[in-house]
Amino acid sequence: GLVGIAQGGGDVGARLIEVVDAVTFTGSVATGRKVAVRAAERFIPCSVELGGKDAAIVLSDCNMDRSVMGVAQWGLHNCGQNCAAIERVYVEEAIADDFVRRLGTVADTLEVSPEGQHADIGPLQSHMQLSIVEAHVADALAKGATLVAGGKRTGEGLGYRPTVLDDCTHEMDVMTAETFGPVIAVQRVKEAEEAIALANSSPYGLNGSVWTSNIERGTDLAKRLEVGVAYVNNHAFGGALANVPWTGVKETGTGIAASRFSYHTFTRPRTLFVDSNSKPDAWWFPMNQDLSDMADLLIERGKGSFTAALKIAPILGKRIKAVTQLAQGKR
């Protein structure tokens, strides 16, 4: 009874919300809003992680080998089907040619298997997702993007070649909408400030990263990213760290997974008070002058009065006696 599984579509999810004490949801923005609204109506805790369009900013002083492989790893692993996958890259023009060329070479050499066995990349999850990937790539090429690698099916099942697109702009779906596939879209920028502005223009804000050899500058820039988890010279792996908050901003949602900051979602504090005292409490009925005096003395004792502390004990005794007499029908 610790774990149960219910498979199905939106109707099953809607029904589950009616019978649970808390809900954590991962999915689309549209469905996430419905989940959050119903959870609020039921007054139950709710944590949502919704869409993502993670950006990587690659500066001209980066470690080229690490940056190329890091972007490839976090953009293409699991066929790009990761809410924190790098989907857009802003690279400084000074190194853009070399970076894009090397990223394309890596993508071209990765092996794809339609069954996902003994290969670098497996298939997409559904025909619908494959159609979204193809539509984004086609839209980018039609609007002037340059195909560096991939851009086509493997010819078997739902396999799709790791794809790198250069010369992308924010007029393209591949830079603004969630692709959720093995596609890395690259936009060239003049300097870091332009990259920060473009990265923050997204309605999503899950992860973001800055790739540079200047750690201090990279840290300052990463802090300016409007995301829940920011990195310098890495990306996305925070989701595997149990003590690190996994969260987002904007339309990615406000939920927190992992770390002590998520306890309020997965647990609900309760209070149990057991009183083993056989005598009545001194502040119960009757309301008389002794009770008023006791209250004043307690206030003075709270302020540090030693004299007040000495005077409390006799009044406590009188109060308990008065309450006991009232319980016996005397006053």
Side-chain angles (χ1 to χ4, degrees):
L2 179 63
V3 176
I5 298 175
Q7 295 183 336
D11 57 333
V12 175
R15 177 61 185 143
L16 281 174
I17 298 176
E18 302 301 320
V19 297
V20 296
D21 296 322
V23 58
T24 177
F25 172 80
T26 301
S28 70
V29 175
T31 302
R33 283 200 176 99
K34 295 177 182 179
V35 170
V37 167
R38 185 56 190 139
E41 290 173 341
R42 289 201 57 224
F43 295 115
I44 61 174
C46 178
S47 174
V48 294
E49 181 193 325
L50 310 177
K53 191 68 179 177
D54 282 11
I57 296 173
V58 182
L59 303 183
S60 58
D61 66 346
C62 72
N63 178 317
M64 185 64 75
D65 288 346
R66 180 176 179 84
S67 299
V68 167
M69 289 309 302
V71 170
Q73 167 67 32
W74 296 116
L76 301 173
H77 87 111
N78 197 40
C79 204
Q81 297 168 120
N82 177 359
C83 54
I86 294 175
E87 295 205 4
R88 34 187 193 128
V89 179
Y90 302 101
V91 58
E92 287 190 316
E93 291 176 346
I95 62 165
D97 287 344
D98 189 29
F99 178 83
V100 170
R101 177 185 59 80
R102 294 176 63 172
L103 184 62
T105 298
V106 171
D108 275 336
T109 59
L110 294 178
E111 297 181 0
V112 183
S113 168
E115 288 82 29
Q117 297 177 344
H118 308 297
D120 298 305
I121 295 176
L124 286 157
Q125 62 168 321
S126 66
H127 289 283
M128 181 183 74
Q129 197 58 47
L130 177 58
S131 66
I132 292 173
V133 170
E134 290 184 316
H136 281 197
V137 172
D139 174 77
L141 294 176
K143 293 176 180 177
T146 301
L147 182 64
V148 179
K152 60 183 179 181
R153 300 188 185 195
T154 61
E156 300 178 85
L158 298 179
Y160 194 85
R161 287 297 311 167
T163 299
V164 176
L165 296 169
D166 192 13
D167 303 312
C168 294
T169 69
H170 276 226
E171 283 67 48
M172 303 171 185
D173 291 339
V174 77
M175 292 296 289
T176 57
E178 191 170 21
T179 306
F180 215 67
V183 179
I184 300 176
V186 180
Q187 181 166 346
R188 301 181 180 217
V189 296
K190 293 181 179 180
E191 37 76 35
E193 290 301 319
E194 181 185 1
I196 289 288
L198 289 168
N200 288 341
S201 68
S202 172
Y204 303 113
L206 186 54
N207 285 202
S209 57
V210 178
W211 301 76
T212 175
S213 295
N214 188 330
I215 300 301
E216 183 177 358
R217 184 187 183 214
T219 301
D220 289 340
L221 291 171
K223 288 179 179 179
R224 293 171 56 193
L225 289 172
E226 295 172 359
V227 296
V229 188
Y231 305 82
V232 178
N233 297 328
N234 217 318
H235 200 100
F237 78 97
L241 304 178
N243 63 332
V244 173
W246 182 261
T247 185
V249 298
K250 302 191 231 185
E251 290 192 4
T252 294
T254 58
I256 301 177
S259 83
R260 63 187 178 88
F261 299 102
S262 67
Y263 290 172
H264 75 282
T265 297
F266 300 102
T267 63
R268 179 171 295 185
R270 299 176 63 190
T271 301
L272 173 64
F273 197 110
V274 178
D275 191 338
S276 59
N277 189 7
S278 62
K279 296 180 180 180
D281 286 339
W283 52 84
W284 292 354
F285 291 126
M287 304 291 128
N288 57 21
Q289 186 60 47
D290 286 337
L291 179 61
S292 178
D293 293 342
M294 184 179 73
D296 291 338
L297 289 171
L298 287 171
I299 292 172
E300 292 303 314
R301 188 185 70 170
K303 296 177 180 178
S305 172
F306 179 71
T307 302
L310 294 176
K311 292 180 179 180
I312 286 175
I315 293 183
L316 281 174
K318 291 172 63 177
R319 281 293 305 161
I320 292 174
K321 181 177 180 180
V323 177
T324 301
Q325 287 179 337
L326 182 58
Q328 297 171 355
K330 304 173 186 178
R331 184 159 185 175

